[in-house]
Amino acid sequence: MVNQPWALPRLVVAAPASGHGKTTLATGLLAALRRRGLTVSPHKVGPDYIDPGYHALAAGRPGRNLDPWLVGEERIAPLLRHGAGVPTPADVAIVEGVMGLHDGAVGRGAYASTAHVARLIDAPVLLVLDTTAQGRSAAALVLGMRAFDPGVRIGGVVLNRVGSPRHETLLRDALAEVGVPVLGAVTRAVEVAAPARHLGLVPVAERAPESLAVVAALADLIESTVDLDAVLDLARTAPPLTAPAWDPVTAVGGPAGGHRPVVALAGGPAFTFSYAETAELLAAAGATVARFDPLRDPALPAGTRAVVIGGGFPEVHAEALTGNTALRAELADFDGPVVAECAGLLYLGTALDGVPMCGRLAHTARMTGRLTLGYREAVAATDSPPHRAGDPVRGHEFHRTVTDPGHGDRPAWRWDGTGHGFVDGRVHASYLHTHWAGQPLAARRLVEAASR
């Protein structure tokens, strides 16, 4: 099936702007459709790690990202097909958008926008609309959203935060005038929300019982307010996917060696940020991927030859991390290759907000009131296990901390005319988040380094 056209029902949940209810609708749809016995495949436009955690909980399979900036637009449809095909073929795919429908990478028009991804996967759009303090003008807004890019097909609207039955009737009548069907209406009285903090929603891994309750409540909400049959009918209007599925083995060129070195991949509540394809690429390159939780595990997995520590919220768990002294000491002395992004960078330093960390790298870190956020075009500044100096990489930053110093004598990256991050021995650490589907040879190089 991977090379044959696949009639995968699919749709994109979008909105005119952030805060209209995309995550509520997408997560609730996933959970409600799963309750019907359907196999649902969850996806998220953009680099965000947190929403896919809720999607995964609702769908019962990994939430996956579709970000043209990070992986290249040519891989978006193949990655959708891969994600919808494993571990079993999905009956329907739900893709949650990012920001407003037409908001792309700054200075690059629609590139990496929800509309861009909807076009790349040839999927209809279900628009969720916050109708607070809005009447008939809602139809003009939807009409403008539809006309702005004729290549994007808005197939229906879900009204959110509706004030009363009369308000709902007014909105439905106005949208009927412009020929856009209303597939659901959620009143202000029955809204469900997950708790948030300084970088968005609280990750699922940090509050599993509460997260299960939120997802169940969202399923109840969508079942009672949205016409699921109409949503499925809309998803079935998507034409067959013709692009072949992305394949991690092909991407890395097969196993890098004759044996399978253990690559330890950090997880748990403090390190929740990891794309599903990272582990798949490491395994395809010949590694045995072993998970560990720096909050609870007193040692690295047996036989560990390399370590990957992604992003997350170490600042929230600093006391528990510092209390795991045995693991901190092991990481301080570990001489194998290490790749650390953002939270991993903070954890490998000497201290975070004055709380001792691993001390593998000679920097301190502290929280600030300033959010650093955005896509980056970087060049590897120094040879390291995952990258050769001069390699171009696209990534993103998302943090409220700073390190002192800001980079080492051998920086990991350069962009905007300055160095960023640290390369120290076989350690590569920085704030930059990358998606290895966009540079799969990083996984292969790491496994090769671990084999040596």
Side-chain angles (χ1 to χ4, degrees):
M1 188 185 74
V2 294
N3 292 314
Q4 300 299 318
W6 182 15
L8 173 69
R10 59 195 181 275
L11 60 81
V12 175
V13 175
S18 296
H20 279 239
K22 295 189 300 293
T23 302
T24 294
L25 179 57
T27 306
L29 279 175
L30 290 163
L33 293 172
R34 186 185 179 194
R35 279 184 181 176
R36 284 193 166 196
L38 297 176
T39 300
V40 287
S41 183
H43 304 266
K44 169 70 180 179
V45 178
D48 175 61
Y49 296 96
I50 298 177
D51 290 347
Y54 285 88
H55 296 171
L57 201 60
R61 59 199 277 156
R64 295 174 183 268
N65 295 68
L66 301 173
D67 190 318
W69 178 271
L70 296 181
V71 303
E73 60 183 1
E74 72 279 6
R75 293 187 181 93
I76 295 301
L79 282 167
L80 169 67
R81 186 162 181 171
H82 168 72
V86 296
T88 56
D91 298 309
V92 60
I94 303 296
V95 182
E96 181 187 341
V98 62
M99 300 186 295
L101 174 60
H102 300 290
D103 298 329
V106 175
R108 294 180 178 266
Y111 194 91
S113 67
T114 302
H116 185 200
V117 171
R119 282 189 273 106
L120 291 173
I121 64 174
D122 206 353
V125 169
L126 179 59
L127 196 71
V128 57
L129 185 64
D130 181 353
T131 62
T132 303
Q134 190 167 208
R136 192 164 178 269
S137 296
L141 174 60
V142 173
L143 189 63
M145 298 292 292
R146 186 173 64 180
F148 190 76
D149 184 348
V152 176
R153 179 164 60 94
I154 297 177
V157 171
V158 170
L159 307 171
N160 194 20
R161 301 176 188 134
V162 177
S164 66
R166 182 184 178 191
H167 187 204
E168 180 180 341
T169 299
L170 186 157
L171 293 163
R172 286 182 179 273
D173 289 348
L175 284 158
E177 289 184 49
V178 297
V180 178
V182 175
L183 305 190
V186 181
T187 66
R188 297 170 202 164
V190 295
E191 282 189 291
V192 177
R197 62 162 176 248
H198 60 280
L199 290 180
L201 296 180
V202 176
V204 163
E206 292 189 38
R207 48 187 307 276
E210 296 88 346
S211 298
L212 286 168
V214 166
V215 169
L218 289 174
D220 293 340
L221 173 67
I222 297 306
E223 284 178 337
S224 64
T225 58
V226 174
D227 185 342
L228 293 177
D229 291 325
V231 169
L232 287 170
D233 287 342
L234 176 60
R236 293 183 185 115
T237 65
L241 280 173
T242 57
W246 177 81
D247 174 51
V249 175
T250 302
V252 298
H259 65 288
R260 300 187 68 84
V262 175
V263 176
L265 185 60
F271 298 96
T272 58
F273 295 0
S274 180
Y275 297 122
E277 292 81 3
T278 298
E280 292 173 340
L281 285 163
L282 288 168
T288 297
V289 179
R291 309 274 180 168
F292 74 105
D293 182 353
L295 288 178
R296 300 181 177 92
D297 294 330
L300 292 171
T304 293
R305 300 289 299 273
V307 178
V308 177
I309 311 174
F313 292 98
E315 63 271 21
V316 176
H317 303 278
E319 293 297 336
L321 289 170
T322 198
N324 191 349
T325 55
L327 182 61
R328 287 198 293 119
E330 183 177 1
L331 283 168
D333 294 335
F334 184 74
D335 62 359
V338 179
V339 178
E341 291 185 352
C342 201
L345 165 71
L346 307 182
Y347 183 49
L348 292 182
T350 61
L352 172 56
D353 284 333
V355 178
M357 293 287 115
C358 293
R360 178 62 181 82
L361 297 174
H363 68 263
T364 61
R366 59 182 173 83
M367 287 289 294
T368 72
R370 178 177 179 270
L371 175 62
T372 299
L373 169 68
Y375 286 130
R376 305 288 183 255
E377 281 191 285
V379 174
T382 308
D383 282 333
S384 66
H387 300 287
R388 290 188 176 92
D391 284 348
V393 171
R394 283 182 167 184
H396 74 101
E397 284 190 287
F398 188 48
H399 58 92
R400 288 189 183 274
T401 59
V402 295
T403 65
D404 182 18
H407 61 82
D409 294 335
R410 303 173 70 226
W413 310 107
R414 288 195 179 277
W415 71 78
D416 292 342
T418 189
H420 299 266
F422 304 81
V423 173
D424 186 321
R426 304 177 81 190
V427 176
H428 181 284
S430 77
Y431 276 119
L432 194 70
H433 292 288
T434 60
H435 195 311
W436 281 2
Q439 48 262 344
L441 292 185
R444 184 179 181 87
R445 281 174 55 85
L446 183 65
V447 175
E448 289 173 344
S451 299
R452 292 193 295 268

